[in-house]
Amino acid sequence: VVCEGRSFIRRTDQRYDVIQLSGVDTYAALSQGAYSVAEGFLYTVEALEDYLAHLRPGGCVSFSRWIMNPPRETLRLATTAAEALRRRGVKDPATHLVVIRGNAWATLLACDKPFEKRQVQRLHAFAHYEGYRWVFNPLNNTGGAFDRALRTPEQSRKAFIADYVYQLNPTTDDAPFFFNYFRW
């Protein structure tokens, strides 16, 4: 199918085990700041809700994005996915999310069901074998930026996001500027 991904998913009744969005835009324009004012409707809360609604039971949405230091792209995507899960009635979105990373890329899995211990163990074995590292484990709080943005109580989470060096607030269809990380 040749189509823009979100448009396609909204027109189909099919359900999927995995919906994958990996490197769907170029970094060349981003490195010059060109995307900071461009709309990105693939990375909004409403887009995540669309993807999650088209999963089979146990299915996951998989995103691969650049991992930067300090984190911004993958971390903002995680806060956006967590908000989409909250809107779908999930009380603890952190249990539905995993982030692992290689050298330049990180993969975020957002699943319709919480991760079980055996699934995390399998992912750990895979990550170890492939030379990947854990960024966010739903079963183990390391206290890092992802844990603070995803696992803390609402007021603490909002304070962390408000005070973070980059904008991490979830993007929405009304403000779809995913790549605009910079504060005035």
Side-chain angles (χ1 to χ4, degrees), residues 6 9 19 21 42 47-55 61 63:
R6 185 164 175 205
I9 204 73
I19 296 174
L21 292 94
L42 291 174
L48 266 290
E49 287 180 293
D50 288 341
Y51 308 144
L52 291 164
H54 282 82
L55 293 175
V61 182
F63 289 92

Side-chain angles (χ1 to χ4, degrees), residues 10 15 20-21 30 42 47 69 87 99 111 120 134 164:
R10 293 186 99 185
R15 301 287 184 254
Q20 184 169 339
L21 292 94
L30 180 60
L42 291 174
N69 191 19
R87 288 187 185 182
V99 182
C111 302
V120 172
W134 281 94
Y164 196 71

Side-chain angles (χ1 to χ4, degrees), residues 89-110:
V90 173
K91 289 185 180 15
D92 187 4
T95 62
H96 293 245
L97 302 170
V98 161
V99 182
I100 59 172
R101 69 166 293 171
N103 290 328
W105 289 82
T107 296
L108 166 78
L109 297 176

Side-chain angles (χ1 to χ4, degrees), residues 4-21:
E4 188 273 333
R6 185 164 175 205
S7 175
F8 172 77
I9 204 73
R10 293 186 99 185
R11 291 192 325 255
T12 185
D13 291 331
Q14 285 198 259
R15 301 287 184 254
Y16 302 92
D17 294 324
V18 175
I19 296 174
Q20 184 169 339
L21 292 94

